[in-house]
């Protein structure tokens, strides 16, 4: 049972609190009021919460004082009832541990004697109704001591809650009887309880995403959160029979530094949770982006030159969650050791596979209860190569987990990992093998990072540990993004993802320098470690690190160039018209050679597969494939080779289209083929051309000049619009999409020779959920058809949907004009805060400016929209003149800055 005694640091407010409740109770008993006790409880608990959060920073003190306030309520109510004996009122669960946040559940256990149900019920009602009236969420159970333990025996949730039972008031003898019975159950069921708690933890972490490095973590249920801390205490208490603070056994399980880390983690996480509850006015456990700055301000974080206050808070959170994982590992290892004492002696010798590595001599390692440990701790402290040999052994045989003492020694030895160690060629060989010749590189690097060794060996990585990019685009911290990217490139290299990524798989299987790709992926986010994140500074940094890791000068330069420009290929696919020769030529010439192109493709695939929840789809895959193939052709033979490739595709697409239309009547087939333009054959897949032809044929038969199909595809919607071309058509269609409550993922605008237009929109929901509701699809179709038939008579008025989280961010509006990116058009990029109808507003601005949109390229990065447009004058002429371009820029900046009010 819980024996930690939390004493009030200010008795006077508690006395006033009790007096107010007693006075309200007396008025209700005298028939002078109704519900007054609940109101008094609410008022005083709210006041206590406000005073506590204002005056206390430590989370453990906040949670204890809030618990004390509830203790006062229960004791006062029980005293006012005037019933002696009959029941014992006990706190259980988090309240039993004296750990409450402002809106935590208050869990109670009422114990009574057999045969005293009526009296106990009367007391229960007198206690519970005022608590319910106060608006607090109350959980309660009613038992005799015998039935409570019988229930705990069968129900693991109840058994866990009762483990923290704490006597509040009433008949102490009933509680003592319950304690003795529960303790007998505990002593008989230790292995069962430990297994259940560890299984629960694993299931909970799997549900939460199996990583602690999520940009908006659940601080209660997430990996490394409060529930994991509580699991440590539950297991310890159930096995050893006492609290961590008060038990003599704790010194055999955790040393003083580890116990100090446990207390620090609890204080921090409870402080964060308490302020989250207070800010939201409810029990909120997810530390979302809108909460992070406010919580950071309350806890005293401030901005620094390289990190905002919110980013500093989140880094502290992630480092704390790592400590929680380490402490869990310490406790589990101790339990395994005790279990091993009762089993046949386990071998200590290393398997043959682990007796040699890239360094000379036998590794200073042994197996300790099936876990990797140092044979000589003293030698490991002196010889830093041993630290890396430990991880090299694990990378070969990850079935042998680390012993916590070995990891603790690694962390302890970090000050000795100096520049001499970083320049040691033997250590570099060990690290390269861990990275590129490993059974589990991501897992190995992750544990290296959590001990601090990876960040110490590569300071550029150490600087990004726990860092977030504040926004909705990334789903993980920057270091987690890197580690997952390493896992992804490893899967590609081993052929696991050959079907998904045939080109990248072929590149990695054919290369003689695969380590170049691994190092590039490991270092591609290094710019976040620099105060001046420019391509030149990133390139210098990566070249230096890559050379130290063992790459030759040319390889290091290749990696440095690619890491400094790792988004070049991605941004080109998102913002340029890949059917234009100029776009391909500009990109290919900026890349220069096939080695760079190959490395950029692999980096681009890994980046897009990891960075955001919806950053990778068939459109992204098709664009990367096209840019890679076209650039490779350009590099092999310039424009001639590119034209040959385009002609080959042209003929292949035409032949495939003809084949798919073979079942049509000859007249209809010839009519359809005659309307297919060269542009379609260059940039549209045959199955989509057939869908065009089918829609055009149906529209002609129906004698209509506007037709729309909307089809669910891969959780998105594909909308094909066939309509008379007109200035402003694209903007009207974009407005219809916004009015229907969907976002534009991509758009393809094609003009036929008979002044008809075919526009293809890929649409998605603003929050990324699948678009499969028939009513929603019907609404999209209706609004697109209306816009296709004629321009709307009234200006479109759109408001953000309730809960649109984009509005909590600030994005500085920006416009870039490039009159050399295309032979026929000026290319304009507009960047700003995304909102419903932004594409419609931008397109409408072009209509007002008498400009036509040749093609539009939509890129959205969470809350940030960057839309690129290929533009001509209304008569088809090129857009020229500094004054004309300045006018366009000013108008677009006004749209971007208006927030939809322009």
């Amino acid at each position: 049972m819980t024996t930690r005694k939390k004493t009030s640091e200010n008795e006077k407010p508690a006395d006033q609190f009790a007096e107010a409740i007693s006075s309200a109770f007396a008025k209700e008993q005298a028939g002078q009021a109704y519900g007054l006790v609940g109101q008094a409880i609410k008022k005083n608990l709210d006041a206590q919460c406000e005073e506590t959060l204002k005056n206390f920073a430590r989370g453990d003190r906040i949670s204890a004082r809030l618990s004390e306030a509830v203790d006062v309520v229960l004791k006062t109510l029980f005293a006012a009832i005037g019933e002696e004996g009959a029941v014992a009122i006990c706190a259980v669960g988090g309240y039993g541990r004296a750990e409450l946040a402002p809106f935590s559940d208050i869990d109670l256990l009422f114990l009574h004697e057999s045969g005293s149900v009526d009296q106990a019920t009367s007391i229960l009602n007198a206690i519970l109704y005022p608590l319910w009236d106060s608006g607090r969420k109350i959980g309660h159970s009613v038992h005799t001591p015998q039935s409570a333990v019988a229930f705990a025996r069968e129900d693991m949730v109840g058994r866990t809650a009762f483990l923290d039972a704490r006597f509040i008031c009433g008949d102490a003898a009933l509680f003592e009887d319950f304690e003795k019975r529960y303790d007998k159950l505990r002593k008989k069921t230790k292995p069962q309880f430990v297994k259940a708690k560890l299984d629960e933890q694993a299931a909970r972490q799997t549900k939460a995403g199996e990583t602690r490095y999520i940009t908006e973590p659940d601080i209660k249920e997430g990996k490394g959160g409060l529930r994991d801390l509580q699991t440590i205490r539950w297991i310890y208490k159930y096995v050893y029979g006492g609290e961590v603070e008060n038990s003599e056994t704790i010194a055999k399980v955790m040393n003083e530094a580890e116990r100090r880390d446990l207390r620090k983690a609890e204080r921090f996480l409870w402080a964060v949770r308490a302020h989250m509850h207070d800010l939201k006015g409810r029990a909120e456990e997810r530390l979302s982006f809108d909460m992070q700055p406010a919580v950071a301000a309350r806890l005293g974080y401030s901005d620094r030159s390289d990190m905002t206050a919110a980013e500093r808070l989140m880094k502290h959170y992630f480092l704390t969650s790592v400590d929680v994982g380490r402490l869990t590992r310490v406790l589990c290892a101790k339990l395994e050791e005790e279990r091993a004492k009762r089993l046949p002696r386990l071998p200590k010798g290393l398997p043959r596979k682990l007796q040699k590595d890239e360094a000379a001599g036998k590794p200073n390692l042994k197996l300790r209860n099936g876990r990797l440990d140092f044979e000589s701790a003293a030698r490991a402290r002196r010889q830093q190569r041993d630290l890396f040999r430990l991880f090299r052994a694990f990378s070969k045989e990850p079935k042998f987990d680390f012993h916590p003492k070995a990891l603790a020694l690694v962390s302890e030895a970090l000050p000795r990992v100096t520049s001499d160690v970083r320049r040691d060629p033997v250590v570099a060989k060990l690290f390269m093998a861990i990275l590129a010749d490993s059974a589990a590189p991501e897992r190995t690097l992750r544990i290296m990072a959590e001990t601090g060794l990876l960040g110490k060996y590569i300071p550029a990585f150490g600087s990004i540990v726990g860092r977030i990019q504040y926004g909705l685009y990334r789903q993980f911290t920057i270091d987690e993004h890197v580690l997952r990217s390493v896992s992804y490139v490893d899967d590609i290299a081993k052929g696991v993802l050959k079907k998904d990524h045939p080109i990248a798989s072929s590149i990695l299987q054919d290369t003689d320098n695969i380590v170049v790709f691994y190092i590039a992926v490991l270092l591609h986010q290094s710019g976040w470690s620099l105060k001046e994140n420019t391509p030149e500074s990133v390139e210098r940094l990566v070249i230096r690190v890559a050379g130290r890791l063992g790459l030759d000068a040319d390889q290091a330069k290749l990696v440095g160039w690619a890491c400094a420009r790792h988004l070049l290929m991605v941004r080109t696919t998102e913002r340029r018209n890949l059917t234009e020769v100029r776009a391909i030529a500009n990109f290919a010439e900026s890349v220069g050679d096939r080695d760079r192109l190959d490395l950029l493709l692999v980096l681009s695939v890994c980046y897009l597969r990891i960075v955001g929840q919806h950053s990778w789809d068939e459109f992204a895959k098709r664009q990367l494939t096209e840019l890679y193939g076209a650039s490779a052709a350009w590099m092999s033979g310039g424009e001639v080779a590119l034209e040959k490739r385009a002609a080959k595709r042209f003929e292949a697409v035409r032949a495939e289209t003809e084949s798919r239309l073979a079942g049509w009547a000859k007249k209809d087939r010839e009519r359809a083929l005659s309307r297919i333009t060269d542009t379609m054959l260059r940039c549209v897949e045959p199955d989509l051309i057939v869908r065009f032809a089918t829609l055009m044929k149906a529209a002609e038969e129906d004698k209509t000049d506007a037709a729309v199909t909307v089809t669910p595809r891969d959780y998105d919607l594909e909308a094909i619009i066939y309509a008379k071309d007109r200035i402003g058509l694209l903007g009207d269609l974009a407005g219809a999409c916004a009015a229907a409550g969907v976002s534009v993922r991509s758009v393809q605008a094609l003009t036929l020779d008979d002044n008809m237009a075919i526009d293809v929109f890929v649409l998605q929901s603003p929050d990324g959920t699948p678009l499969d509701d028939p009513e929603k699809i019907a609404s999209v179709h209706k609004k697109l058809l209306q816009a296709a038939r004629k321009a709307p008579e009234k200006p479109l008025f759109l408001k953000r949907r309730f809960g649109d989280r984009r509005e909590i961010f600030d994005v500085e509006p920006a416009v870039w004009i490039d009159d050399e990116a295309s032979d026929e058009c000026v290319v304009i990029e507009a960047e700003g805060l995304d909102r419903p109808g932004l594409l419609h507003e931008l397109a409408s601005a072009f209509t007002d400016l008498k400009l036509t949109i040749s093609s539009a390229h939509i890129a959205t990065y969470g809350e940030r929209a960057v839309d690129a447009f290929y533009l001509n004058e209304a008569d088809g002429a090129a857009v020229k003149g500094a004054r004309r371009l300045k006018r366009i820029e000013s108008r677009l900046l006004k749209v971007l800055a208006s927030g939809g009010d322009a």
Side-chain angles (χ1 to χ4, degrees):
M1 303 303 103
T2 298
T3 57
R4 283 185 284 169
K5 179 68 174 174
K6 304 290 185 178
T7 58
S8 175
E9 294 172 307
N10 191 338
E11 298 292 343
K12 188 174 180 180
D15 293 340
Q16 294 172 346
F17 189 5
E19 184 178 341
I21 295 172
S22 297
S23 175
F25 190 89
K27 289 181 180 180
E28 283 199 21
Q29 290 293 96
Q32 301 302 303
Y34 176 79
L36 195 61
V37 178
Q39 295 173 23
I41 292 172
K42 176 175 173 33
K43 178 181 178 180
N44 283 277
L45 285 180
D46 289 348
Q48 177 77 355
C49 178
E50 181 180 355
E51 185 269 338
T52 298
L53 291 173
K54 180 180 178 181
N55 295 316
F56 292 88
R58 279 177 41 174
D60 57 338
R61 291 186 178 178
I62 293 171
S63 63
R65 284 179 64 85
L66 296 181
S67 298
E68 289 173 11
V70 179
D71 290 354
V72 171
V73 171
L74 292 170
K75 290 176 180 178
T76 303
L77 287 174
F78 187 74
I81 294 168
E83 295 279 357
E84 294 296 330
V87 299
I89 302 176
C90 316
V92 295
Y95 177 38
R97 295 187 299 275
E99 294 178 340
L100 288 182
F103 291 91
S104 293
D105 295 357
I106 298 171
D107 294 324
L108 301 171
L109 169 63
F110 293 92
L111 295 172
H112 65 90
E113 296 176 348
S114 299
S116 62
V117 175
D118 291 342
Q119 186 180 10
T121 301
S122 174
I123 296 173
L124 258 62
N125 290 339
I127 297 288
L128 291 174
Y129 277 103
L131 291 175
W132 287 330
D133 289 342
S134 74
R136 260 48 184 185
K137 189 174 180 181
I138 309 298
H140 74 282
S141 57
V142 184
H143 286 285
T144 65
Q146 297 95 320
S147 70
V149 174
F151 172 73
R153 182 179 294 109
E154 301 301 324
D155 187 279
M156 189 57 68
V157 174
R159 194 189 306 182
T160 306
F162 291 173
L163 176 64
D164 292 316
R166 177 169 59 90
F167 178 71
I168 303 295
C169 56
D171 190 342
L174 284 170
F175 183 72
E176 291 172 4
D177 185 16
F178 165 74
E179 274 192 308
K180 291 176 182 177
R181 293 174 185 273
Y182 185 94
D183 206 45
K184 289 180 181 179
L185 172 66
R186 179 188 67 79
K187 291 176 179 177
K188 293 178 181 178
T189 57
K190 294 179 183 180
Q192 179 199 37
F193 184 86
V194 171
K195 182 179 184 304
K197 290 296 106 181
L198 293 178
D199 288 347
E200 283 176 16
Q201 184 181 59
R204 185 175 65 251
Q205 291 175 356
T206 298
K207 183 179 179 181
E210 296 185 334
T211 179
R212 54 177 60 91
Y213 303 102
I214 298 173
T215 53
E216 295 182 295
D218 184 325
I219 69 160
K220 181 180 178 182
E221 302 290 347
K223 189 172 185 178
L226 279 166
R227 190 67 81 200
D228 284 356
L229 273 175
Q230 290 159 359
T231 298
I232 293 173
R233 287 191 175 275
W234 285 332
I235 291 176
Y236 178 84
K237 187 174 183 179
Y238 206 91
V239 172
Y240 298 105
E243 298 289 344
V244 169
E245 288 82 0
N246 304 327
S247 174
E248 295 179 0
T249 315
I250 187 62
K252 299 178 182 178
V253 179
M254 293 183 182
N255 60 36
E256 178 54 39
E258 290 163 342
R259 298 199 295 277
R260 185 169 57 250
D261 288 342
L262 179 67
R263 293 191 293 271
K264 285 172 59 179
E266 288 177 323
R267 291 170 183 171
F268 172 72
L269 291 175
W270 272 105
V272 171
R273 188 184 186 208
H275 286 289
M276 286 172 58
H277 278 211
D278 188 54
L279 286 164
K280 279 290 186 180
R282 64 175 187 269
E284 178 62 60
E285 312 300 351
R286 188 166 67 102
L287 187 49
S288 55
F289 283 120
D290 58 327
M291 298 272 284
Q292 290 169 14
V295 173
R298 284 196 173 197
L299 296 182
Y301 293 88
S302 58
D303 292 345
R304 289 185 177 172
S305 59
D306 60 338
M307 227 184 293
T308 66
E311 289 172 335
R312 291 182 61 213
L313 165 73
M314 295 311 297
K315 181 157 188 169
H316 190 174
Y317 168 82
F318 294 121
L319 294 177
T320 297
S321 70
V322 169
D323 282 341
V324 175
R326 174 172 55 83
L327 295 171
T328 301
R329 190 189 295 267
V330 168
L331 179 58
C332 290
K334 180 62 179 177
L335 295 174
E336 287 176 6
E337 286 182 4
E338 296 199 353
R339 179 173 175 269
K341 293 175 183 177
R342 302 188 294 271
L343 297 174
R345 190 174 183 84
L346 294 172
K348 293 185 178 181
L350 286 176
R352 184 181 301 274
K353 186 176 181 179
L354 303 185
Q355 292 179 9
K356 289 184 178 180
D357 56 25
E358 288 70 22
K362 182 182 176 183
N364 174 29
L365 300 172
K366 68 178 180 180
L367 289 180
R368 180 176 176 183
N369 298 319
R371 290 173 177 255
L372 285 168
D373 197 3
F374 293 110
E375 189 167 45
S376 168
R379 175 185 156 180
R381 291 187 179 93
R382 295 192 307 271
Q383 176 53 268
Q384 280 68 55
R385 287 181 184 175
D386 286 355
L387 311 182
F388 293 86
R389 299 183 83 173
L390 172 72
F391 287 97
R392 177 59 180 136
F394 178 80
S395 75
K396 290 196 261 186
E397 284 288 4
K399 68 180 181 181
F400 297 115
D401 201 355
F402 296 96
H403 194 281
K405 290 187 179 298
L407 296 182
L409 191 151
V410 171
S411 297
E412 176 191 327
L414 291 181
R416 300 182 184 88
V417 180
T418 61
S419 58
D420 289 338
V421 177
R422 288 191 282 269
R423 288 194 294 265
D424 185 341
V426 175
V427 171
K429 288 180 180 179
L430 289 165
F431 183 77
M432 295 279 262
I434 290 169
L435 183 62
D437 183 21
S438 169
E442 177 197 12
R443 189 176 169 197
T444 308
L445 292 173
R446 185 182 303 285
I447 301 173
M448 285 185 75
E450 291 181 352
T451 61
L453 181 60
L454 181 57
K456 192 71 173 178
Y457 183 58
I458 304 178
F461 184 88
S463 297
I464 65 173
V465 170
R467 286 209 53 179
I468 63 170
Q469 181 179 13
Y470 189 64
L472 297 175
Y473 186 49
R474 287 184 185 265
Q475 57 183 329
F476 303 112
T477 59
I478 297 168
D479 54 317
E480 177 71 5
H481 170 96
V482 169
L483 296 177
R484 287 185 175 235
S485 297
V486 169
S487 177
Y488 210 84
V489 77
D490 187 60
D491 284 343
I492 296 174
K494 291 173 179 173
V496 177
L497 300 173
K498 189 172 184 178
K499 183 178 179 181
D500 293 331
H501 304 291
I503 299 176
S505 296
S506 177
I507 290 171
L508 293 181
Q509 288 166 10
D510 293 343
T511 184
D512 294 328
N513 297 307
I514 197 166
V515 71
V516 166
F517 292 86
Y518 280 88
I519 291 179
V521 170
L522 180 67
L523 300 178
H524 78 282
Q525 296 287 307
S526 296
W528 286 91
S529 69
L530 299 171
K531 290 185 177 180
E532 295 185 9
N533 186 357
T534 64
E536 295 75 20
S537 58
V538 173
E539 190 168 354
R540 287 194 298 270
L541 169 66
V542 173
I543 288 174
R544 186 169 67 250
V545 176
R548 184 165 53 75
L549 292 176
L551 296 187
D552 63 33
D554 290 339
Q555 292 171 336
K557 288 179 181 178
L558 171 62
V559 172
W561 181 91
C563 289
R565 299 160 183 84
H566 67 278
L567 293 178
L568 175 61
M569 195 170 200
V570 172
R571 297 295 181 253
T572 301
T573 62
E574 292 171 338
R575 305 179 189 179
R576 290 296 178 264
N577 183 354
L578 301 186
T579 65
E580 283 202 346
V581 172
R582 175 70 74 88
I584 302 300
N586 287 348
F587 172 77
E589 289 172 358
S590 67
V591 173
D593 60 53
R594 281 296 296 272
D595 288 341
R596 287 180 173 181
L597 182 64
D598 289 349
L599 185 51
L600 270 186
L601 177 72
V602 173
L603 281 176
S604 299
V605 168
C606 292
Y607 178 84
L608 288 175
R609 291 306 303 240
I610 303 300
V611 64
Q613 290 184 337
H614 309 288
S615 54
W616 179 266
D617 55 18
E618 281 301 313
F619 178 77
K621 179 179 180 180
R622 187 167 62 248
Q623 290 289 91
L624 279 179
T625 301
E626 175 61 25
L627 181 56
Y628 178 84
S631 300
W634 178 274
M635 290 175 181
S636 67
E639 188 170 351
V640 174
L642 189 60
E643 288 296 334
K644 285 183 178 179
R645 179 179 182 274
K648 185 177 179 180
R649 172 193 161 81
F650 184 103
E651 294 303 325
V653 171
R654 187 174 186 87
E656 179 64 20
T657 303
E658 289 183 8
S659 173
R660 296 192 183 197
L661 297 178
W664 285 26
K666 181 179 179 181
K667 178 182 176 182
D668 292 335
R669 183 172 65 252
E670 289 178 349
R671 167 66 173 159
L673 292 173
S674 70
R675 304 189 73 191
I676 297 173
T677 65
D678 290 353
T679 301
M680 284 189 194
L681 294 172
R682 287 176 181 273
C683 65
V684 181
E685 297 301 317
D687 57 344
L688 185 53
I689 294 177
V690 171
R691 295 201 288 278
F692 290 170
T694 302
L695 180 61
M696 291 188 290
K697 177 175 176 288
E700 288 183 346
E701 290 175 351
D702 196 43
K703 297 182 179 180
T704 181
D705 56 6
V708 174
T709 62
V710 180
T711 310
R713 297 189 186 281
D714 298 325
Y715 305 109
D716 296 334
L717 295 180
E718 175 195 83
I720 303 175
I721 301 96
Y722 173 66
K724 277 188 176 180
D725 198 12
R726 65 174 187 263
I727 294 178
L729 174 61
L730 185 64
D732 294 340
L733 295 173
C737 294
V742 295
S743 298
V744 178
R745 169 68 176 87
S746 66
V747 60
Q748 202 165 13
L750 302 164
T751 303
L752 306 180
D753 294 335
D754 55 1
N755 200 39
M756 297 297 288
I758 288 272
D759 291 333
V760 187
F761 284 76
V762 176
L763 308 171
Q764 58 189 194
S765 62
D767 59 3
T769 56
L771 283 171
D772 52 11
D773 177 33
E775 291 186 6
K776 185 72 168 179
I777 297 172
S779 173
V780 172
H781 181 276
K782 178 181 178 181
K783 292 185 183 302
L784 283 173
L785 185 57
Q786 289 173 343
R789 286 173 174 163
K790 63 177 183 177
E793 296 177 358
K794 297 180 180 179
L796 187 65
F797 177 72
L798 295 169
K799 294 190 297 183
R800 289 191 183 274
R801 63 184 178 87
F802 179 75
D804 189 338
R805 300 198 303 143
R806 292 174 295 189
E807 64 184 354
I808 68 176
F809 299 95
D810 293 319
V811 178
E812 186 70 24
V815 174
W816 296 275
I817 299 176
D818 189 343
D819 55 4
E820 296 182 356
S822 171
D823 292 328
E824 299 175 355
C825 304
V826 65
V827 178
I828 294 184
E829 294 183 21
E831 177 179 1
L833 182 66
D834 196 20
R835 60 177 184 263
L838 177 60
L839 176 59
H840 162 73
E841 294 175 49
L842 293 170
S844 297
F846 293 135
T847 300
D848 293 344
L849 290 164
K850 302 295 188 293
L851 296 167
T852 59
I853 301 172
S854 174
S855 66
H857 306 269
I858 313 304
T860 304
Y861 313 103
E863 73 286 352
R864 184 184 303 272
V866 184
D867 297 341
F869 302 90
Y870 282 64
L871 302 172
N872 293 101
E873 298 288 1
D875 60 2
V879 181
K880 295 181 179 179
R883 292 182 64 185
R884 176 65 164 153
L885 294 175
K886 185 66 178 177
R887 184 184 173 201
I888 295 171
E889 179 186 12
S890 298
R891 178 62 185 277
L892 295 184
L893 286 172
K894 184 178 179 181
V895 170
L896 293 168
S898 70
D901 299 326

